[in-house]
């Protein structure tokens, strides 16, 4: 009974850390896509993640350009430390450092792909239900996915009212998730449940 409660507790902690990692990667992608910083949802994401990101901004400096290295580093270090802590609590010994580092990269990639996956679903639903929505959440989703949709639209222009680019991006996300993230998890030798949501 005690071990079941302990493993449920570890799963809960791991899930909470993965949700926070999800928010950190959302902050990273919002910066990379140059989404509206003053959008209330952007501000909320920054406020929630700033305590951890602030620790890394001290030595990595403020954001320069589109890529926020402090946020990326914060997510990576948080995930690696959380995996080490879980292994120590479980008492199975810490895996090799190389495996942990690879698992950390896999976790970041997994979170980024999930954000794009969910954002695309929201974008598709919005395009049917409220194509001209001005809600801050709708605007943020559009700003987030546009940088990955625009290059695809150049290659596959919309056919009248039908835009095939989301389907192509969905396929690409699944391929990258299956091949790249899957390969990284296997190379790390760490359970996939610890790496992603």
């Amino acid at each position: 009974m005690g071990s079941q409660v302990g493993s449920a507790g570890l799963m809960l902690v791991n899930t909470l850390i993965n949700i926070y990692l999800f928010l950190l990667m959302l902050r990273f992608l919002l910066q990379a896509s140059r989404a509206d910083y003053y959008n209330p949802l952007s501000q909320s994401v920054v406020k929630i993640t700033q305590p951890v990101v602030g620790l890394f901004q001290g030595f990595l400096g403020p954001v320069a350009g589109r890529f926020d290295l402090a946020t990326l580093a914060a997510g990576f270090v948080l995930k690696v430390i959380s995996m080490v802590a879980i292994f120590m609590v479980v008492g199975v010994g810490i895996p090799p450092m190389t495996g942990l580092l690879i698992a950390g990269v896999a976790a970041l990639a997994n979170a980024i792909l999930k954000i794009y996956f969910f954002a695309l679903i929201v974008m598709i639903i919005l395009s049917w239900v409220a194509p001209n929505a001005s809600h801050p959440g709708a605007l943020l989703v559009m700003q987030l996915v546009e940088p990955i949709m625009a290059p695809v639209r150049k290659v596959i222009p919309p056919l009248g009212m039908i835009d095939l680019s989301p389907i192509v991006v969905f396929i690409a996300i699944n391929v990258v998730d299956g091949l790249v993230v899957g390969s990284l998890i296997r190379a790390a030798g760490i359970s996939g449940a610890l790496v992603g949501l």
Side-chain angles (χ1 to χ4, degrees):
M1 180 69 181
S3 65
Q4 286 179 335
V5 171
S7 63
L10 279 178
M11 282 178 59
L12 177 63
V13 168
N14 190 48
T15 301
L16 292 173
I17 288 165
N18 284 337
I19 290 169
Y20 197 75
L21 179 67
F22 193 86
L23 290 171
L24 284 166
M25 291 306 98
L26 181 58
R27 174 178 172 155
F28 174 77
L29 292 176
L30 290 172
Q31 173 69 30
S33 61
R34 297 191 189 278
D36 179 11
Y37 180 78
Y38 296 102
N39 183 306
L41 292 173
S42 293
Q43 288 289 303
S44 296
V45 169
V46 169
K47 205 172 283 184
I48 291 167
T49 55
Q50 190 56 36
V52 175
V53 173
L55 300 172
F56 292 85
Q57 284 174 332
F59 58 91
L60 287 174
V63 179
R66 295 175 76 139
F67 298 106
D68 182 358
L69 292 179
T71 301
L72 210 55
F76 179 76
V77 170
L78 175 75
K79 188 60 189 175
V80 170
I81 288 173
S82 72
M83 286 187 291
V84 168
I86 287 170
F87 280 116
M88 287 173 70
V89 169
V90 172
V92 294
I94 300 169
M97 185 53 77
T98 312
L100 284 168
L101 297 178
I102 293 170
V105 171
L108 297 189
N110 181 264
I112 287 169
L113 290 171
K114 275 194 169 55
I115 289 167
Y116 278 133
F117 181 84
F118 293 128
L120 275 170
I121 289 173
V122 171
M123 186 201 77
I124 290 166
I125 293 169
L126 284 173
S127 69
W128 293 337
V129 179
N132 299 316
S134 59
H135 185 276
L139 296 173
L140 211 59
V141 166
M142 297 303 179
Q143 291 169 348
L144 185 66
V145 297
E146 191 52 35
I148 61 167
M149 298 293 284
V152 178
R153 280 199 198 105
K154 284 180 185 169
V155 179
I156 306 167
L159 304 170
M161 296 286 289
I162 300 167
D163 185 3
L164 297 176
S165 55
I167 296 168
V168 174
V169 175
F170 266 126
I171 292 168
I173 286 171
N174 284 319
V175 167
V176 171
D177 193 32
L179 293 178
V180 178
V181 177
S183 299
L184 286 171
I185 291 170
R186 283 190 296 279
I190 291 174
S191 165
L194 271 180
V195 173
L197 276 171

